[in-house]
Coordinates of all heavy atoms in Angstrom, one line a residue:
V307 N 11.2 114.4 -23.1 CA 12.1 113.3 -23.2 C 11.3 112.0 -23.3 O 11.5 111.1 -24.1 CB 13.0 113.2 -22.0 CG1 13.9 112.0 -22.1 CG2 13.9 114.4 -22.0
A308 N 10.3 111.9 -22.4 CA 9.5 110.7 -22.4 C 8.8 110.5 -23.7 O 8.7 109.4 -24.2 CB 8.5 110.8 -21.2
L309 N 8.3 111.6 -24.2 CA 7.6 111.5 -25.5 C 8.5 111.1 -26.6 O 8.2 110.2 -27.4 CB 7.0 112.9 -25.8 CG 5.7 113.2 -25.2 CD1 5.4 114.7 -25.3 CD2 4.6 112.4 -25.7
A310 N 9.7 111.7 -26.6 CA 10.6 111.4 -27.7 C 11.3 110.1 -27.6 O 11.5 109.4 -28.6 CB 11.8 112.5 -27.7
L311 N 11.6 109.7 -26.4 CA 12.5 108.5 -26.2 C 11.6 107.2 -25.9 O 12.0 106.1 -26.2 CB 13.5 108.7 -25.2 CG 14.5 109.8 -25.5 CD1 15.6 109.9 -24.4 CD2 15.2 109.5 -26.9
A312 N 10.6 107.5 -25.1 CA 9.8 106.3 -24.7 C 8.5 106.2 -25.4 O 7.7 105.3 -25.2 CB 9.6 106.3 -23.2
G313 N 8.2 107.2 -26.2 CA 6.9 107.2 -26.9 C 5.8 107.4 -26.0 O 4.6 107.3 -26.4
C314 N 6.0 107.8 -24.8 CA 5.0 108.1 -23.8 C 4.1 106.9 -23.5 O 2.9 107.0 -23.3 CB 4.1 109.3 -24.3 SG 4.0 110.6 -23.0
S315 N 4.7 105.7 -23.7 CA 3.8 104.6 -23.6 C 4.0 103.7 -22.4 O 3.2 102.9 -22.0 CB 4.1 103.7 -24.9 OG 5.4 103.3 -24.9
A316 N 5.2 103.8 -21.8 CA 5.5 103.0 -20.7 C 5.2 103.7 -19.3 O 6.0 104.6 -18.9 CB 7.0 102.5 -20.7
A317 N 4.2 103.3 -18.6 CA 3.8 103.9 -17.4 C 4.8 104.0 -16.4 O 5.0 105.0 -15.7 CB 2.5 103.2 -16.9
P318 N 5.6 102.9 -16.1 CA 6.6 102.9 -15.0 C 7.7 104.0 -15.2 O 8.1 104.5 -14.2 CB 7.3 101.6 -15.1 CG 6.3 100.7 -15.8 CD 5.6 101.6 -16.8
V319 N 8.0 104.5 -16.4 CA 9.1 105.4 -16.5 C 8.6 106.8 -16.0 O 9.5 107.7 -15.8 CB 9.5 105.6 -18.0 CG1 10.0 104.3 -18.5 CG2 8.4 106.2 -18.8
A320 N 7.4 107.0 -15.7 CA 6.9 108.3 -15.3 C 7.0 108.5 -13.8 O 6.6 109.5 -13.2 CB 5.5 108.6 -15.8
T321 N 7.5 107.5 -13.1 CA 7.5 107.5 -11.6 C 8.5 108.6 -11.1 O 8.3 109.3 -10.1 CB 7.9 106.2 -11.0 OG1 9.1 105.8 -11.6 CG2 6.8 105.1 -11.2
T322 N 9.6 108.8 -11.8 CA 10.5 109.9 -11.5 C 10.9 110.5 -12.8 O 10.9 109.9 -13.9 CB 11.8 109.4 -10.8 OG1 12.5 108.6 -11.7 CG2 11.4 108.6 -9.5
P323 N 11.2 111.8 -12.8 CA 11.7 112.5 -14.0 C 12.9 111.8 -14.6 O 13.0 111.5 -15.8 CB 12.0 113.9 -13.6 CG 11.2 114.1 -12.4 CD 11.1 112.8 -11.7
M324 N 13.8 111.4 -13.8 CA 15.0 110.7 -14.3 C 14.7 109.4 -14.9 O 15.3 109.0 -15.9 CB 16.0 110.5 -13.1 CG 17.4 110.3 -13.5 SD 18.0 111.7 -14.4 CE 19.0 110.9 -15.6
G325 N 13.8 108.7 -14.2 CA 13.3 107.4 -14.8 C 12.7 107.6 -16.1 O 13.0 106.8 -17.0
A326 N 12.0 108.7 -16.3 CA 11.4 108.9 -17.6 C 12.4 109.2 -18.6 O 12.4 108.6 -19.7 CB 10.5 110.2 -17.4
A327 N 13.5 110.0 -18.2 CA 14.5 110.3 -19.2 C 15.3 109.1 -19.6 O 15.5 108.8 -20.7 CB 15.4 111.5 -18.7
M328 N 15.9 108.5 -18.5 CA 16.9 107.5 -18.8 C 16.3 106.1 -19.1 O 16.8 105.3 -19.8 CB 17.9 107.4 -17.6 CG 18.6 108.7 -17.4 SD 19.2 109.4 -19.0 CE 20.3 108.2 -19.6
G329 N 15.1 105.9 -18.4 CA 14.5 104.6 -18.7 C 14.1 104.5 -20.2 O 14.4 103.5 -20.9
G330 N 13.7 105.7 -20.7 CA 13.4 105.7 -22.1 C 14.6 105.6 -23.0 O 14.7 104.9 -24.0
A331 N 15.7 106.3 -22.5 CA 16.9 106.3 -23.3 C 17.5 104.9 -23.4 O 18.0 104.5 -24.4 CB 17.9 107.3 -22.7
R332 N 17.5 104.2 -22.3 CA 18.1 102.9 -22.3 C 17.3 101.8 -22.8 O 17.8 100.8 -23.3 CB 18.6 102.6 -20.8 CG 19.8 103.4 -20.4 CD 20.1 103.2 -19.0 NE 21.3 104.0 -18.6 CZ 21.6 104.4 -17.4 NH1 20.8 104.0 -16.4 NH2 22.7 105.2 -17.2
A333 N 16.0 102.0 -22.6 CA 15.1 100.9 -23.0 C 14.8 100.9 -24.5 O 14.4 99.9 -25.1 CB 13.8 100.9 -22.2
G334 N 15.0 102.1 -25.1 CA 14.7 102.2 -26.5 C 13.3 102.8 -26.8 O 12.6 102.9 -25.8
S335 N 13.1 103.2 -27.9 CA 11.8 103.9 -28.3 C 10.7 102.8 -28.5 O 11.0 101.6 -28.5 CB 12.0 104.7 -29.5 OG 12.0 103.8 -30.6
S336 N 9.5 103.4 -28.6 CA 8.4 102.5 -28.8 C 8.5 101.7 -30.1 O 7.9 100.7 -30.3 CB 7.1 103.3 -28.7 OG 7.1 104.3 -29.7
S337 N 9.3 102.2 -31.0 CA 9.5 101.5 -32.3 C 10.5 100.4 -32.2 O 10.7 99.6 -33.1 CB 9.9 102.5 -33.4 OG 11.2 103.0 -33.1
G338 N 11.1 100.3 -31.0 CA 12.1 99.2 -30.8 C 13.5 99.6 -31.2 O 14.4 98.8 -31.1
V339 N 13.7 100.8 -31.7 CA 15.1 101.3 -32.0 C 15.8 101.7 -30.7 O 15.3 102.5 -30.0 CB 15.1 102.4 -33.0 CG1 16.5 102.9 -33.3 CG2 14.4 102.0 -34.3
R340 N 17.0 101.2 -30.5 CA 17.7 101.5 -29.3 C 18.1 103.0 -29.4 O 18.8 103.4 -30.3 CB 18.9 100.6 -29.1 CG 19.5 100.8 -27.7 CD 20.6 99.8 -27.5 NE 21.2 100.0 -26.1 CZ 20.6 99.4 -25.1 NH1 19.6 98.6 -25.2 NH2 21.1 99.5 -23.9
M341 N 17.8 103.8 -28.4 CA 18.0 105.3 -28.5 C 19.2 105.7 -27.6 O 19.8 106.8 -27.8 CB 16.8 106.0 -28.0 CG 15.6 105.8 -28.9 SD 15.9 106.4 -30.6 CE 15.9 108.2 -30.4
G342 N 19.6 104.9 -26.6 CA 20.7 105.4 -25.7 C 21.9 104.5 -25.8 O 21.7 103.2 -26.0
A343 N 23.1 105.0 -25.7 CA 24.3 104.2 -25.8 C 24.5 103.5 -24.5 O 24.4 104.1 -23.4 CB 25.5 105.1 -26.1
P344 N 24.7 102.2 -24.5 CA 25.0 101.5 -23.2 C 26.3 102.0 -22.6 O 27.3 102.3 -23.4 CB 25.1 100.0 -23.7 CG 25.5 100.1 -25.1 CD 24.9 101.3 -25.7
L345 N 26.4 102.1 -21.3 CA 27.6 102.6 -20.6 C 28.6 101.5 -20.6 O 28.3 100.3 -20.3 CB 27.2 103.1 -19.2 CG 26.3 104.3 -19.2 CD1 25.9 104.7 -17.8 CD2 26.8 105.5 -20.0
S346 N 29.8 101.9 -20.8 CA 30.9 100.9 -20.9 C 31.8 100.9 -19.6 O 32.7 100.1 -19.5 CB 31.8 101.2 -22.1 OG 32.3 102.5 -22.1
C347 N 31.6 101.8 -18.7 CA 32.4 101.8 -17.5 C 31.7 102.6 -16.4 O 30.6 103.1 -16.6 CB 33.8 102.5 -17.8 SG 33.6 104.2 -18.5
E348 N 32.2 102.6 -15.2 CA 31.6 103.2 -14.1 C 32.6 104.1 -13.3 O 33.8 103.8 -13.4 CB 31.0 102.2 -13.1 CG 29.9 101.3 -13.7 CD 29.4 100.3 -12.6 OE1 30.1 100.1 -11.6 OE2 28.4 99.7 -12.9
A349 N 32.1 105.1 -12.7 CA 32.9 105.9 -11.8 C 33.2 105.1 -10.5 O 32.4 104.3 -10.1 CB 32.3 107.2 -11.5
P350 N 34.3 105.4 -9.8 CA 34.5 104.8 -8.5 C 33.4 105.2 -7.6 O 32.7 106.2 -7.7 CB 35.8 105.5 -8.0 CG 36.5 106.0 -9.3 CD 35.3 106.3 -10.2
T351 N 33.1 104.2 -6.7 CA 31.9 104.4 -5.8 C 32.4 105.3 -4.5 O 31.5 105.8 -3.8 CB 31.4 103.1 -5.2 OG1 32.5 102.4 -4.6 CG2 30.9 102.3 -6.4
D352 N 33.6 105.5 -4.4 CA 34.1 106.2 -3.2 C 34.6 107.6 -3.5 O 35.5 108.1 -2.8 CB 35.2 105.4 -2.4 CG 36.4 105.1 -3.4 OD1 36.3 105.4 -4.6 OD2 37.4 104.7 -2.9
L353 N 34.0 108.3 -4.4 CA 34.4 109.7 -4.7 C 34.0 110.6 -3.6 O 33.0 110.3 -2.9 CB 33.7 110.1 -6.0 CG 34.2 109.4 -7.3 CD1 33.3 109.9 -8.5 CD2 35.6 109.7 -7.6
P354 N 34.8 111.6 -3.3 CA 34.6 112.4 -2.1 C 33.3 113.4 -2.3 O 33.0 113.7 -3.4 CB 35.9 113.2 -1.9 CG 36.5 113.2 -3.3 CD 36.1 111.9 -3.9
G355 N 32.8 113.7 -1.1 CA 31.8 114.7 -1.0 C 30.4 114.3 -1.6 O 30.1 113.1 -1.6
S356 N 29.6 115.3 -1.9 CA 28.3 115.0 -2.4 C 28.5 114.5 -3.9 O 29.4 114.8 -4.5 CB 27.4 116.3 -2.5 OG 27.3 116.9 -1.2
R357 N 27.5 113.7 -4.3 CA 27.6 113.1 -5.7 C 26.5 113.6 -6.5 O 25.3 113.6 -6.1 CB 27.6 111.6 -5.6 CG 27.9 110.8 -6.8 CD 27.8 109.3 -6.6 NE 28.2 108.5 -7.7 CZ 29.3 107.8 -7.8 NH1 30.2 107.9 -6.9 NH2 29.5 107.0 -8.9
V358 N 26.9 114.2 -7.6 CA 25.8 114.6 -8.6 C 26.0 113.7 -9.9 O 27.2 113.6 -10.4 CB 26.0 116.1 -9.0 CG1 25.0 116.4 -10.1 CG2 25.7 116.9 -7.8
T359 N 25.0 113.1 -10.3 CA 25.1 112.3 -11.5 C 24.5 113.0 -12.7 O 23.3 113.5 -12.6 CB 24.3 110.9 -11.4 OG1 24.9 110.2 -10.3 CG2 24.5 110.1 -12.6
V360 N 25.3 113.2 -13.7 CA 24.8 113.9 -14.9 C 24.7 112.9 -16.1 O 25.6 112.2 -16.4 CB 25.8 115.1 -15.3 CG1 25.4 115.7 -16.6 CG2 26.0 116.0 -14.2
S361 N 23.5 112.9 -16.6 CA 23.2 112.1 -17.8 C 23.2 112.9 -19.1 O 22.5 114.0 -19.1 CB 21.9 111.3 -17.6 OG 22.0 110.5 -16.5
L362 N 23.9 112.5 -20.1 CA 24.0 113.2 -21.3 C 23.3 112.4 -22.4 O 23.6 111.2 -22.5 CB 25.4 113.5 -21.7 CG 26.2 114.2 -20.7 CD1 27.7 114.3 -21.1 CD2 25.7 115.5 -20.3
V363 N 22.4 113.0 -23.1 CA 21.6 112.2 -24.1 C 21.5 113.0 -25.4 O 21.3 114.2 -25.5 CB 20.1 112.0 -23.6 CG1 19.3 111.3 -24.6 CG2 20.1 111.4 -22.2
D364 N 21.7 112.2 -26.5 CA 21.4 112.8 -27.8 C 20.0 112.2 -28.2 O 19.8 111.0 -28.3 CB 22.4 112.3 -28.9 CG 23.7 113.0 -28.7 OD1 23.8 114.2 -28.9 OD2 24.7 112.3 -28.4
M365 N 19.1 113.2 -28.5 CA 17.8 112.8 -28.8 C 17.6 112.7 -30.3 O 18.2 113.4 -31.1 CB 16.8 113.7 -28.2 CG 16.9 113.7 -26.7 SD 16.0 115.1 -25.9 CE 14.4 114.7 -26.3
G366 N 16.7 111.8 -30.8 CA 16.4 111.8 -32.2 C 17.5 111.1 -33.0 O 17.6 111.2 -34.2
M367 N 18.4 110.3 -32.2 CA 19.5 109.6 -32.9 C 19.4 108.2 -32.4 O 19.1 107.9 -31.3 CB 20.8 110.2 -32.6 CG 21.1 111.5 -33.0 SD 22.7 112.2 -32.4 CE 23.8 111.1 -33.4
S368 N 19.7 107.2 -33.2 CA 19.8 105.9 -32.7 C 21.1 105.2 -33.0 O 21.3 104.1 -32.8 CB 18.6 105.0 -33.4 OG 18.8 105.1 -34.8
R369 N 22.0 106.0 -33.5 CA 23.4 105.5 -33.8 C 24.3 106.7 -34.0 O 23.9 107.8 -34.0 CB 23.3 104.7 -35.1 CG 22.9 105.5 -36.3 CD 22.8 104.7 -37.6 NE 22.2 105.4 -38.6 CZ 22.8 106.3 -39.4 NH1 24.1 106.5 -39.2 NH2 22.2 107.0 -40.4
M370 N 25.6 106.4 -34.0 CA 26.6 107.4 -34.2 C 26.4 108.1 -35.6 O 26.4 107.4 -36.6 CB 28.0 106.9 -34.0 CG 29.1 107.9 -34.2 SD 29.0 109.1 -32.9 CE 29.7 108.2 -31.5
M371 N 26.3 109.4 -35.6 CA 26.1 110.1 -36.9 C 27.4 110.8 -37.2 O 27.6 111.1 -38.4 CB 24.9 111.0 -36.8 CG 23.6 110.2 -36.7 SD 22.2 111.3 -36.5 CE 21.9 111.9 -38.2
G372 N 28.2 111.1 -36.3 CA 29.5 111.8 -36.5 C 29.3 113.3 -36.9 O 28.2 113.8 -37.1
G373 N 30.4 113.9 -37.0 CA 30.4 115.3 -37.4 C 30.1 116.3 -36.3 O 29.7 115.8 -35.2
V374 N 30.2 117.5 -36.6 CA 29.8 118.6 -35.7 C 28.3 118.7 -35.6 O 27.6 118.7 -36.6 CB 30.4 119.9 -36.1 CG1 30.0 121.0 -35.2 CG2 31.9 119.8 -36.0
A375 N 27.8 118.9 -34.3 CA 26.3 119.0 -34.2 C 25.9 120.3 -34.7 O 26.5 121.4 -34.4 CB 26.0 118.9 -32.7
R376 N 24.8 120.4 -35.4 CA 24.3 121.6 -35.9 C 23.5 122.3 -34.8 O 23.1 121.6 -33.8 CB 23.3 121.4 -37.1 CG 22.0 120.7 -36.6 CD 21.1 120.4 -37.8 NE 19.8 120.0 -37.4 CZ 19.4 118.9 -36.8 NH1 20.3 118.0 -36.5 NH2 18.1 118.7 -36.5
V377 N 23.3 123.6 -34.9 CA 22.4 124.3 -34.0 C 21.0 123.7 -34.3 O 20.6 123.7 -35.4 CB 22.5 125.8 -34.1 CG1 21.4 126.5 -33.3 CG2 23.9 126.3 -33.8
G378 N 20.3 123.3 -33.2 CA 19.0 122.8 -33.4 C 18.9 121.3 -33.2 O 17.9 120.7 -33.2
A379 N 20.1 120.6 -33.2 CA 20.2 119.2 -32.8 C 19.6 119.1 -31.4 O 19.9 120.0 -30.6 CB 21.6 118.7 -32.9
R380 N 18.9 118.0 -31.1 CA 18.3 117.9 -29.8 C 19.2 117.1 -28.8 O 19.5 115.9 -29.2 CB 17.0 117.3 -29.9 CG 15.9 118.2 -30.6 CD 14.6 117.6 -30.6 NE 14.6 116.2 -31.3 CZ 13.7 115.3 -30.9 NH1 12.9 115.5 -30.0 NH2 13.8 114.1 -31.5
M381 N 19.6 117.7 -27.8 CA 20.5 117.0 -26.8 C 19.9 117.4 -25.4 O 19.2 118.4 -25.2 CB 21.9 117.6 -26.9 CG 22.5 117.4 -28.2 SD 24.2 118.2 -28.3 CE 24.5 118.2 -30.0
L382 N 20.3 116.6 -24.4 CA 19.8 116.9 -23.1 C 20.9 116.6 -22.1 O 21.7 115.6 -22.2 CB 18.6 116.0 -22.8 CG 17.8 116.3 -21.6 CD1 17.2 117.7 -21.7 CD2 16.7 115.3 -21.5
L383 N 21.0 117.5 -21.1 CA 21.9 117.2 -19.9 C 21.0 117.3 -18.6 O 20.3 118.3 -18.4 CB 22.9 118.4 -19.9 CG 24.0 118.4 -18.8 CD1 25.2 119.3 -19.3 CD2 23.5 118.9 -17.5
V384 N 21.0 116.2 -18.0 CA 20.2 116.1 -16.7 C 21.0 115.8 -15.6 O 21.7 114.8 -15.5 CB 19.1 115.0 -16.9 CG1 18.2 114.9 -15.7 CG2 18.2 115.3 -18.1
A385 N 21.1 116.7 -14.6 CA 21.9 116.5 -13.4 C 21.0 116.3 -12.2 O 20.0 117.0 -12.0 CB 22.7 117.8 -13.1
R386 N 21.3 115.2 -11.4 CA 20.5 114.9 -10.2 C 21.4 114.4 -9.1 O 22.3 113.6 -9.4 CB 19.5 113.8 -10.6 CG 18.5 114.3 -11.6 CD 17.3 113.4 -11.8 NE 16.5 113.1 -10.6 CZ 15.5 113.8 -10.2 NH1 15.1 114.9 -10.8 NH2 14.8 113.5 -9.1

Side-chain angles (χ1 to χ4, degrees):
V307 174
L309 281 164
L311 297 182
C314 230
S315 58
V319 303
T321 52
T322 66
M324 201 60 218
M328 299 316 300
R332 286 176 178 155
S335 73
S336 57
S337 65
V339 177
R340 191 174 184 86
M341 295 297 288
L345 296 178
S346 58
C347 53
E348 295 181 348
T351 57
D352 58 350
L353 294 172
S356 303
R357 190 179 183 107
V358 173
T359 301
V360 177
S361 296
L362 307 176
V363 180
D364 286 298
M365 299 165 68
M367 296 174 69
S368 59
R369 59 185 171 80
M370 181 65 74
M371 295 175 75
V374 173
R376 73 185 193 286
V377 173
R380 295 185 301 150
M381 307 175 187
L382 194 61
L383 182 160
V384 180
R386 294 189 60 91

